[in-house]
């Protein structure tokens, strides 16, 4: 059996029951289940607002669209971002004709506050912080910097469903937090996400904008006590078709019940990896920041000769991942190539070991022994990576 980096675990019967309710009611779109999921998510995270969307990518775009419009930012204004992320993060900035300005990452692979300070200019309007793998990195420092410089803080929490910082779900101090419930995330649906604005007025606006700018969604028009379906609405702004639907919300509602239990198992696997890898020379384990209880979406290490090590794994039926290629290596962002040396270096060495709910300790033993063999086969004895890492 191949061992893959991600395998989602669905509670099939329970999910089918929830979906059946939607089908029998004849309501699969935005409506009763999306509202129920939003309420459960607010309760779980402690966020004051939550709006269910079709994806995190949609949410990041919506956040920037709303902030730009509300604060009258100009085309070309700047948003500080990380090169070590899935491209959605940076594409969302470009969708709004804003400019991604890349700052470098720290030992947690998150934005480095020192590098962020250097990237601030009079045109800086926002910063997107990615909690990579569920790690909070130096998030609290970033919050301070954003407050001091009047920069909107967008938390791309695609990996952070369930991450706690100082005992509390992360995100309450950001201007907006955007989650992903994409197919292989910690809370998997098929494709969906959640946007949580701190400001309720912006949440109201997001609800209209995610439904093409229409003043009242179909469910609001249908669900009034007055009885029948009301056909009349206004279109107050140019919006997008970004809202979530009741089938995805049904999946989310069930998966949310198990999120803490699932993340606990992920953390157990991660600490087993920590123990089994601690005496292996020539690798670096990416540590979780102090006071962070990570959702453990990823378990990342750095290895020398990554591509060859990866091939060795593949040849042995094990399929790790890479999170991520430095985005400035991609044609569309290569105007910034070389500006973030740490991200660039790590991107060549990073490897995400398999981490999912079907893995057993025996699987981990096999993965670790395969890694040892790969290092023996692919890395010359005098080849080392650690020295590059103290930067
Ligand atoms: C860091 C990060 N940001 C954003 C996204 C986009 O999420 P979605 O697929 O829900 O649009 C992902 C998804 O992989 C991600 O990993």
């Amino acid at each position: 059996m191949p061992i893959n980096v991600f395998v989602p675990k669905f509670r099939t019967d329970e999910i089918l029951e929830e979906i059946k309710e939607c089908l029998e009611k004849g309501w699969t779109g935005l409506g009763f289940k999306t509202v129920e999921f939003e309420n459960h998510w607010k309760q779980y995270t402690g966020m004051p607002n939550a709006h269910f969307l079709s994806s995190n990518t949609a949410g990041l775009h919506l956040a920037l669209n709303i902030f730009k419009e509300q604060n009258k930012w100009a085309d070309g204004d700047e948003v500080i971002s990380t090169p070590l992320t899935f491209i959605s993060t940076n594409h969302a900035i470009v969708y709004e004709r804003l400019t991604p300005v890349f700052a470098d990452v720290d030992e947690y692979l998150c934005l480095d506050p020192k590098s962020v300070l250097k990237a601030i200019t009079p045109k800086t309007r926002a910063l997107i912080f990615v909690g990579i793998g569920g790690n909070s990195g130096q998030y609290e420092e970033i919050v301070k910097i954003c407050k001091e410089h009047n920069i909107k803080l967008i938390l791309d929490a695609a990996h952070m469903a369930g991450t706690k910082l100082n005992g509390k779900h992360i995100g309450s101090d950001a201007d907006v937090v955007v989650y992903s419930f994409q197919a292989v995330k910690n809370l998997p649906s098929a494709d969906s996400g959640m946007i949580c604005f701190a400001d309720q007025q912006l949440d109201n606006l997001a609800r209209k904008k995610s439904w093409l700018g229409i003043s009242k969604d179909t469910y609001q028009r249908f669900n009034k006590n007055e009885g029948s379906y009301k056909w009349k609405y206004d279109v107050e702004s140019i919006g997008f078709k970004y809202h979530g639907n009741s089938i995805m919300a049904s999946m989310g509602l069930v998966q949310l019940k198990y999120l803490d239990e699932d993340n606990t198992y992920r953390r157990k696997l991660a600490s087993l990896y920590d123990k089994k890898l601690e005496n292996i020379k020539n690798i670096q384990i990416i540590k979780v920041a102090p006071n962070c209880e990570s959702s453990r979406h990823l378990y990342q290490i750095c290895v020398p000769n990554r591509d060859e090590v990866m091939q060795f794994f593949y040849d042995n039926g094990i399929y790790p991942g890479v999170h991520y290629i430095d985005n400035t290596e991609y044609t569309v962002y290569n105007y910034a190539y070389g500006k973030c040396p740490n991200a660039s270096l790590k991107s060549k060495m990073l490897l995400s070991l398999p981490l999912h709910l079907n893995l057993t300790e025996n699987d981990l033993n096999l993965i670790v022994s395969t890694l040892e063999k790969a290092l023996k086969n692919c890395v010359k004895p005098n080849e080392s990576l650690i020295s590059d890492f103290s930067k």
Side-chain angles (χ1 to χ4, degrees):
M1 275 284 276
I3 300 182
N4 288 310
V5 61
F6 299 133
V7 178
K9 177 170 169 180
F10 294 112
R11 278 68 185 194
T12 310
D13 291 340
E14 276 185 74
I15 289 174
L16 289 176
E17 271 306 305
E18 291 280 341
I19 292 178
K20 192 167 167 223
E21 196 190 335
C22 300
L23 300 179
E24 287 178 352
K25 240 194 175 90
W27 202 282
T28 53
L30 173 116
F32 71 113
K33 281 272 181 240
T34 59
V35 174
E36 193 183 339
F37 187 35
E38 287 167 354
N39 288 336
H40 281 240
W41 190 251
K42 282 193 281 186
Q43 213 168 20
Y44 176 75
T45 57
M47 305 277 171
N49 302 296
H51 177 42
F52 188 53
L53 295 173
S54 55
S55 70
N56 162 297
T57 308
L60 292 173
H61 178 211
L62 201 56
L64 285 158
N65 173 272
I66 287 174
F67 284 141
K68 187 181 182 204
E69 192 178 272
Q70 293 291 300
N71 298 289
K72 304 197 168 30
W73 297 346
D75 285 359
D77 279 354
E78 294 169 0
V79 180
I80 296 175
S81 185
T82 170
L84 219 58
T85 183
F86 186 60
I87 47 162
S88 292
T89 316
N90 293 315
H91 280 10
I93 303 168
V94 180
Y95 293 159
E96 280 302 312
R97 298 175 305 284
L98 297 164
T99 304
V101 171
F102 293 99
D104 212 345
V105 299
D106 57 15
E107 70 265 37
Y108 307 112
L109 309 176
C110 295
L111 278 178
D112 183 344
K114 288 201 267 338
S115 180
V116 164
L117 281 171
K118 285 188 204 145
I120 295 173
T121 77
K123 285 168 96 181
T124 306
R125 304 286 173 251
L127 177 149
I128 307 186
F129 186 88
V130 177
I132 186 163
N135 206 339
S136 65
Q138 300 184 65
Y139 174 72
E140 287 165 302
E141 279 301 306
I142 298 289
V143 171
K144 267 193 224 148
I145 292 173
C146 288
K147 288 215 163 92
E148 274 165 27
H149 291 82
N150 195 23
I151 293 169
K152 294 282 176 213
L153 173 57
I154 299 168
L155 178 60
D156 178 347
H159 301 177
M160 299 185 112
T163 287
K164 293 198 177 99
L165 184 58
N166 301 318
K168 234 176 80 189
H169 201 286
I170 198 159
S172 59
D173 27 26
D175 292 291
V176 67
V177 186
V178 188
Y179 296 92
S180 172
F181 309 131
Q182 178 265 345
V184 296
K185 295 296 188 290
N186 288 41
L187 193 160
S189 61
D191 252 324
S192 59
M194 194 76 85
I195 188 164
C196 301
F197 275 104
D199 180 336
Q200 193 184 344
Q201 278 181 340
L202 299 187
D203 177 77
N204 285 339
L205 193 54
R207 285 169 194 279
K208 290 175 190 162
K209 287 236 181 201
S210 70
W211 174 224
L212 298 149
I214 293 172
S215 58
K216 278 186 185 163
D217 68 51
T218 326
Y219 189 61
Q220 279 175 314
R221 281 182 279 135
F222 178 79
N223 203 27
K224 294 288 170 210
N225 292 334
E226 304 121 49
S228 60
Y229 177 78
K230 300 280 184 294
W231 59 271
K232 202 155 188 200
Y233 55 77
D234 187 20
V235 183
E236 296 170 350
S237 62
I238 303 288
F240 312 94
K241 185 75 165 63
Y242 279 174
H243 63 80
N245 66 60
S246 290
I247 303 295
M248 290 303 105
S250 295
M251 298 185 80
L253 272 167
V254 174
Q255 296 295 125
L256 176 55
K257 285 199 259 172
Y258 297 94
L259 181 60
D260 281 342
E261 183 185 318
D262 291 354
N263 285 350
T264 302
Y265 189 65
R266 287 172 174 277
R267 283 191 292 274
K268 187 177 155 198
L269 291 175
S271 47
L272 277 173
Y273 268 135
D274 281 346
K275 264 198 220 119
K276 292 174 196 291
L277 295 174
E278 84 189 335
N279 294 321
I280 299 187
K281 289 199 194 82
N282 237 353
I283 64 164
Q284 194 207 26
I285 298 168
I286 304 299
K287 296 271 190 276
V288 172
N291 305 323
C292 173
E293 187 180 79
S294 170
S295 62
R296 272 297 183 186
H297 179 58
L298 299 174
Y299 189 93
Q300 294 177 285
I301 60 172
C302 289
V303 296
N305 281 353
R306 194 264 321 278
D307 294 359
E308 281 179 48
V309 169
M310 192 69 123
Q311 188 57 49
F312 190 92
F313 270 118
Y314 283 8
D315 294 343
N316 286 277
I318 297 171
Y319 300 91
V322 171
H323 300 91
Y324 291 92
I325 298 295
D326 170 2
N327 283 195
T328 71
E329 285 184 30
Y330 297 131
T331 308
V332 286
Y333 299 116
N334 71 4
Y335 61 86
Y337 184 70
K339 293 232 167 91
C340 303
N342 228 10
S344 189
L345 186 71
K346 289 188 178 172
S347 154
K348 292 180 177 55
M349 299 171 174
L350 278 170
L351 196 141
S352 302
L353 293 175
L355 185 59
H356 57 76
L357 302 167
N358 298 337
L359 286 181
T360 61
E361 185 162 3
N362 280 345
D363 295 323
L364 258 61
N365 288 337
L366 182 64
I367 294 163
V368 171
S369 66
T370 308
L371 174 65
E372 284 178 301
K373 284 184 208 148
L375 291 168
K376 239 185 228 152
N377 268 265
C378 311
V379 182
K380 294 181 200 87
N382 59 351
E383 223 167 359
S384 164
L385 56 75
I386 303 300
S387 58
D388 297 321
F389 266 46
S390 47
K391 287 181 195 166

